[in-house]
Amino acid sequence: MAASALSSPAVSRTPNPKSAAAPPPSPSTRRAVADAASAAAAAAAADSKARFEAYNRLQAAAVAFGEKLPIPEIVAIGGQSDGKSSLLEALLGFRFNVREVEMGTRRPLVLQMVHDPTALEPRCRFQEEDSEEYGSPMVLATAIADLIKQRTESHLRKIQAAVSSKPIVMRAEYAHCPNLTIIDTPGFVLKAKRGEPESTPDEILSMVKSLATPPHRLVLFLQQSSVEWCSSIWLDTLKEIDPTFRRTMIVISKFDNRLKEFTDRWEVDTFLSASGYLGDNIHPFFVALPKDRGTISNEEFRKQICQVDIDVLRHLRDNVKGGFNEEKYGSHIGFSCLRKYLESELQKRYKEAAPATLALLDQRCSEVSIELARLDSKLQATSGVSQLRRSAMQHAASICTHLRALLDGAADPAPEIWGKTTDEEQMHSGISSWPGINMSVKPPNSSLKLYGGAAFERVMHEFRCATYSMECPQVSREKVANILLAHAGRGGSSGLTEAAAEIARSAARSWLAPLIDTACDRLAFVLQSLFDLAMERNRNEDSQYQNVEDMDGYVGFLAALRCSYYKFVRELSKQCKQIVRHHLDSVTSPYSHICYENDSLSGIGSVVNSMNRFNQFPGVASFDLSDSGSQLEEAQENMPPRDQRHMTPPTKGNESKDILRESQLTVPETPSPDLPSDIHGGKKKDTGIPNDGGPRKRQARMAGYTNRNHHNNSIIGADDLGSKSGSSYSTICAISARYFAKMREVLIERSVPSALNSGFLTPCRERLFLALGFELFAVNDEKFMDMFVAPGAVDTIQNERQSLLKRQKILLSCLNEFKNISRAL
């Protein structure tokens, strides 16, 4: 039936007036012409069937392996109860009660109809789930419906959903069906059924759009004839899928329900033209199908379909005044016209798409071959440990090379994507502040996204800014008294100087050590972050060279390489902490001469002279440093508040952000490490020296000490004693602050930067690959293979390889078929 429909235009001939006088052909000539026409028709039918079979096989492979191939297909869409299921049964030529299982409301159904003249009874086979294989033929209509229902319910229970886009594939071979492939989709609904999720209508709409949107698919849109074009709910959805209707076929179903409303010709022609809604060149098909759902034979079902077509045409011709424009619309009325058009249109699309399909199949076969070669290489590597060692060492060496490049300065990959600002570094590292600093520290370039050597240098600047923003902390009177009186008890002429130096040493050890540890942790985080960047650089480089071994699949090895690198950086951080702590201990050692260098006390002025006088006084132990010693000392600038007399140095684990008030810290105007001389040059008020107005204020305080220290008048004058007693605490605080600043300057400008650079960067440049090699490769073969071959990994690779071999076999078979078709076209 299909072959004759396609071949009829080719054999039809219009008589030529010029040949009217020619003698009629002989019987043998007529027989030869008839035989030639029959042979041509048979060849065309065979070619059409071969092309259809090739696409069917390709479609089965695409569904089984998830291939995205532009196979010409017809997708049937429309509202629920618009007649899609009845139309499919009419195309198949037999009923299998598809409407009773509501197949279109749950999963798509791919119907591959094959016209086989030898199949006097329909043979239906279902493709196995997740396989390209088809099951045994099924004959009973009830069995077909039951299997569709069972597969649908089983799959939906498995995925815990009301609908699914995974299709059911059914191949139907029958002498009375055309060569046609149609994807039946769930019908549009406005409201979910009781017991279903409220999102079901939206899920169906989204699924149908995804199935019908690809440009290689034809859209068969069904709408009931009782729906006016101006009231069509789903016409807008169709326009979203195919705005120009260039690949859309519109079918008005249940046309017999509308016939009784027509009385005049203009009414029929107006309805058939759909003027103003579809465009002048878009002509819908108008179809009516039997309504009797009783049990009848397949032959009787087909007779009813033909009879309905005859009845519709008779009604339009006889019962409508003036009939209708049969010349214009006659070819679009009736199921038989729709069937012929669908088959011819699909075959035309098959022929047009054959060259592109052939090229795409060739590409896919090449891709599968490359993937098979990769799996074969993996399998070979699992048995050849020496080759695997070589590839792993090359990969590790490449990663180390990229790490060195990132430390030396690189802008690949893009810093805008892979870099971090200072705030992002703090957030991702978990170190959001510096111990003992209760204010935000912003180094230069803090808002830029940096990584590698640039980020390392920025953290160094941030560390310097944080350190210079800290002043010598206030010390309680009890500590001063303990240190001062102990030094006085040992004798000597420098008791107050030694006491101030010891206070500065203790403060430097307590307050600078946590800052140093934090700097090491921040720098370690910067280095650890480089591993992902090195992997990205290596991946981009590998993509340019096909002969480079791909190690991305070896998850165990990559995890071991990452852990080894992180361990190496942690060890560097630990060593750097020890080295910098050693520098801190050296600077704060009692044997260090930093506190006694001539420039360490420059700028103190009269306080130095006063200290020299106190150092020569043997009765310093009799001074009273308690709060009752002087009522006026409460107003001194260096006097610690009553609620902060006893301060606890910061620690990494438990920072006290309330130790220093903001008013007690003197922060440089521009805390840039590029200008250290402006910060610690000893010319600003941030040295901790009280600016109390000079000697006049201090002389005013002497009177308060005269009477209480009258028993020392025999040693030294009352004015001198009162001066020494009243200003001893503030003077020691001032000198200790000066000593603290000097120690900090020596650490930051001489010791710490060079120690951190040589402790972190030099080993990463010179010892990284050696360290990684010892840990990863200096092991026996059995332990080395543990990183690559997990239990069951070989079986997994073997299974993947077998699946690829099967896929390659099918694709090659389809490729050969399409090559043969292309030669015949």
Side-chain angles (χ1 to χ4, degrees):
M1 181 184 299
S4 62
L6 289 176
S7 60
S8 57
V11 300
S12 177
R13 295 289 185 268
T14 303
N16 190 348
K18 294 183 179 180
S19 60
S26 63
S28 59
T29 302
R30 286 196 300 268
R31 192 180 308 110
V33 171
D35 291 342
S38 299
D47 178 70
S48 175
K49 183 177 180 181
R51 186 161 52 244
F52 182 77
E53 286 286 348
Y55 272 107
N56 269 353
R57 287 170 53 79
L58 187 59
Q59 187 180 55
V63 172
F65 296 111
E67 295 279 1
K68 301 297 183 182
L69 298 175
I71 303 172
E73 297 163 329
I74 298 175
V75 181
I77 69 173
Q80 198 170 38
S81 302
D82 277 348
K84 295 195 307 301
S85 300
S86 298
L87 180 63
L88 291 179
E89 288 182 337
L91 289 170
L92 284 169
F94 66 95
R95 282 176 172 168
F96 56 96
N97 299 323
V98 69
R99 294 195 302 180
E100 275 66 19
V101 298
E102 294 183 330
M103 67 169 182
T105 61
R106 294 294 180 268
R107 291 177 66 179
L109 177 68
V110 178
L111 277 176
Q112 297 174 340
M113 307 177 200
V114 180
H115 175 70
D116 186 356
T118 64
L120 301 180
E121 293 294 332
R123 295 192 300 264
C124 298
R125 294 185 296 163
F126 286 86
Q127 185 178 348
E128 301 294 339
E129 300 277 10
D130 303 316
S131 173
E132 79 284 0
E133 301 293 337
Y134 285 85
S136 302
M138 305 178 66
V139 179
L140 294 177
T142 55
I144 296 172
D146 291 342
L147 183 59
I148 293 176
K149 184 176 181 179
Q150 182 270 328
R151 283 199 176 187
T152 301
E153 293 176 350
S154 175
H155 178 67
L156 294 179
R157 280 197 305 268
K158 182 179 179 180
I159 65 173
Q160 296 293 314
V163 294
S164 173
S165 60
K166 185 177 182 180
I168 298 174
V169 180
M170 187 181 88
R171 178 184 176 93
E173 301 169 353
Y174 195 26
H176 302 285
C177 74
N179 287 320
L180 202 65
T181 297
I182 291 187
I183 303 175
D184 183 36
T185 62
F188 299 128
V189 293
L190 295 175
K191 187 176 181 181
K193 290 175 60 177
R194 183 179 302 174
E196 290 183 352
E198 294 296 329
S199 60
T200 299
D202 294 333
E203 293 178 11
I204 292 176
L205 183 62
S206 176
M207 180 203 308
V208 173
K209 283 184 177 180
S210 65
L211 289 171
T213 298
H216 64 273
R217 285 178 171 166
L218 302 176
V219 180
L220 185 65
F221 175 73
L222 276 78
Q223 179 173 277
Q224 295 188 46
S225 62
S226 58
V227 178
E228 299 292 342
W229 289 113
C230 60
S231 304
S232 177
I233 299 175
W234 309 117
L235 188 60
D236 291 338
T237 302
L238 177 63
K239 290 180 180 179
E240 293 178 12
I241 296 173
D242 184 19
T244 60
F245 294 159
R246 303 183 74 173
R247 54 188 181 89
T248 297
M249 297 164 287
I250 299 177
V251 176
I252 304 303
S253 62
K254 304 178 183 180
F255 184 51
D256 51 340
N257 293 338
R258 191 67 183 258
L259 291 177
K260 56 186 178 182
E261 299 181 10
F262 299 138
T263 56
D264 294 327
R265 174 172 178 149
W266 69 268
E267 294 177 326
V268 179
D269 290 346
T270 301
F271 181 80
L272 296 180
S273 66
S275 178
Y277 295 97
L278 300 180
D280 297 335
N281 297 324
I282 307 300
H283 300 296
F285 286 87
F286 300 87
V287 176
L289 294 172
K291 292 183 171 59
D292 182 17
R293 299 302 300 179
T295 303
I296 56 175
S297 65
N298 295 334
E299 184 178 359
E300 183 64 27
F301 175 59
R302 293 191 296 273
K303 288 181 178 179
Q304 289 183 1
I305 294 175
C306 294
Q307 186 61 44
V308 170
D309 283 350
I310 295 172
D311 294 341
V312 168
L313 287 173
R314 182 185 297 118
H315 181 89
L316 291 175
R317 291 166 181 164
D318 300 340
N319 298 337
V320 175
K321 188 177 181 180
F324 71 105
N325 191 344
E326 191 165 351
E327 181 180 357
K328 184 175 182 180
Y329 302 114
S331 60
H332 287 74
I333 295 177
F335 170 77
S336 59
C337 295
L338 174 63
R339 170 177 164 163
K340 291 177 184 179
Y341 179 81
L342 289 178
E343 189 174 10
S344 62
E345 186 68 17
L346 192 60
Q347 290 297 330
K348 184 181 73 173
R349 299 292 179 118
Y350 281 163
K351 189 173 181 178
E352 293 173 351
T357 304
L358 181 63
L360 186 59
L361 278 174
D362 189 59
Q363 177 186 343
R364 293 295 170 85
C365 289
S366 299
E367 293 173 354
V368 171
S369 298
I370 294 173
E371 187 68 14
L372 275 173
R374 186 184 67 84
L375 290 180
D376 289 338
S377 176
K378 276 191 174 184
L379 287 173
Q380 184 180 1
T382 56
S383 58
V385 65
S386 59
Q387 175 63 29
L388 199 57
R389 279 182 178 272
R390 187 180 302 110
S391 300
M393 292 182 70
Q394 289 176 351
H395 186 82
S398 178
I399 294 298
C400 293
T401 300
H402 290 302
L403 284 167
R404 284 195 296 270
L406 291 167
L407 289 176
D408 292 339
D412 178 40
E416 297 84 359
I417 300 174
W418 294 87
K420 292 182 177 67
T421 64
T422 295
D423 292 338
E424 291 172 343
E425 276 184 10
Q426 293 175 349
M427 179 179 65
H428 289 108
S429 65
I431 306 172
S432 58
S433 62
W434 294 89
I437 307 297
N438 61 350
M439 60 187 302
S440 178
V441 178
K442 295 294 184 183
N445 305 313
S446 61
S447 61
L448 298 183
K449 289 181 175 291
L450 305 179
Y451 57 63
F456 188 95
E457 186 64 22
R458 184 175 62 185
V459 173
M460 294 290 293
H461 286 192
E462 187 180 352
F463 168 62
R464 293 177 58 171
C465 292
T467 308
Y468 279 124
S469 66
M470 174 181 287
E471 295 302 323
C472 181
Q474 297 290 346
V475 185
S476 66
R477 292 177 179 272
E478 287 79 2
K479 287 186 178 181
V480 173
N482 275 275
I483 296 173
L484 178 61
L485 297 178
H487 278 281
R490 294 199 299 267
S493 59
S494 58
L496 291 178
T497 303
E498 289 292 344
E502 183 58 33
I503 292 172
R505 294 188 192 104
S506 177
R509 285 191 295 266
S510 301
W511 292 77
L512 295 182
L515 289 175
I516 292 172
D517 289 347
T518 300
C520 291
D521 292 338
R522 284 284 303 279
L523 294 174
F525 172 77
V526 170
L527 294 182
Q528 288 180 340
S529 300
L530 294 184
F531 186 84
D532 290 328
L533 278 79
M535 289 288 292
E536 179 67 17
R537 283 171 60 94
N538 187 69
R539 195 175 295 113
N540 293 337
E541 183 180 275
D542 287 352
S543 63
Q544 302 174 9
Y545 304 98
Q546 297 296 330
N547 58 345
V548 177
E549 178 70 20
D550 182 16
M551 304 296 289
D552 284 348
Y554 299 112
V555 179
F557 167 71
L558 295 180
L561 181 62
R562 181 186 294 269
C563 290
S564 182
Y565 174 69
Y566 282 4
K567 179 181 177 182
F568 177 76
V569 174
R570 286 195 299 269
E571 289 295 327
L572 292 184
S573 178
K574 183 178 178 181
Q575 294 172 9
C576 284
K577 288 179 181 179
Q578 294 175 351
I579 294 173
V580 180
R581 284 291 186 97
H582 174 73
H583 286 296
L584 178 62
D585 293 340
S586 299
V587 170
T588 58
S589 171
Y591 303 102
S592 174
H593 294 282
I594 291 176
C595 295
Y596 311 115
E597 295 177 0
N598 292 333
D599 61 339
S600 65
L601 298 177
S602 60
I604 295 183
S606 61
V607 178
V608 178
N609 299 329
S610 178
M611 285 298 297
N612 291 333
R613 292 175 57 195
F614 286 149
N615 290 336
Q616 298 173 0
F617 180 61
V620 68
S622 63
F623 291 168
D624 186 2
L625 298 177
S626 64
D627 289 342
S628 60
S630 175
Q631 297 296 329
L632 295 176
E633 283 190 0
E634 293 291 340
Q636 282 187 256
E637 186 177 308
N638 279 303
M639 187 72 65
R642 293 181 179 273
D643 56 347
Q644 294 185 6
R645 297 274 176 91
H646 305 284
M647 302 178 67
T648 304
T651 59
K652 262 194 89 181
N654 184 19
E655 299 178 8
S656 176
K657 293 188 178 180
D658 295 330
I659 291 177
L660 294 177
R661 295 179 304 174
E662 186 174 352
S663 60
Q664 292 175 298
L665 290 175
T666 305
V667 182
E669 294 179 3
T670 305
S672 173
D674 299 330
L675 302 171
S677 59
D678 293 341
I679 301 174
H680 57 275
K683 298 179 181 180
K684 292 190 176 183
K685 187 181 175 181
D686 63 344
T687 58
I689 304 175
N691 186 5
D692 56 1
R696 291 184 179 181
K697 278 195 174 183
R698 287 196 290 272
Q699 289 175 3
R701 296 188 183 103
M702 292 181 185
Y705 294 97
T706 303
N707 295 331
R708 279 182 284 167
N709 297 306
H710 63 88
H711 57 280
N712 289 326
N713 287 345
S714 59
I715 303 175
I716 179 175
D719 290 344
D720 292 336
L721 178 62
S723 175
K724 287 178 283 188
S725 172
S727 61
S728 59
Y729 173 72
S730 59
T731 303
I732 289 176
C733 289
I735 301 303
S736 64
R738 190 65 179 173
Y739 287 159
F740 178 86
K742 186 63 179 179
M743 294 177 187
R744 179 182 60 189
E745 177 186 353
V746 171
L747 280 171
I748 301 306
E749 300 302 328
R750 303 180 191 176
S751 305
V752 174
S754 60
L756 293 180
N757 276 280
S758 61
F760 277 110
L761 300 183
T762 302
C764 284
R765 293 188 177 104
E766 299 177 357
R767 294 192 291 111
L768 177 58
F769 179 68
L770 188 62
L772 298 181
F774 269 116
E775 185 167 352
L776 297 177
F777 307 116
V779 294
N780 57 38
D781 290 346
E782 182 179 358
K783 187 174 181 180
F784 174 77
M785 292 301 294
D786 288 342
M787 294 185 294
F788 295 89
V789 184
V794 176
D795 294 338
T796 302
I797 297 176
Q798 288 282 13
N799 293 335
E800 185 178 356
R801 184 176 181 274
Q802 290 299 324
S803 178
L804 275 177
L805 282 174
K806 190 179 295 185
R807 177 181 172 190
Q808 184 187 47
K809 181 180 178 181
I810 293 176
L811 290 176
L812 285 174
S813 175
C814 293
L815 178 62
N816 292 330
E817 288 186 51
F818 273 90
K819 283 182 178 179
N820 293 331
I821 292 173
S822 64
R823 294 190 189 102
L825 290 178

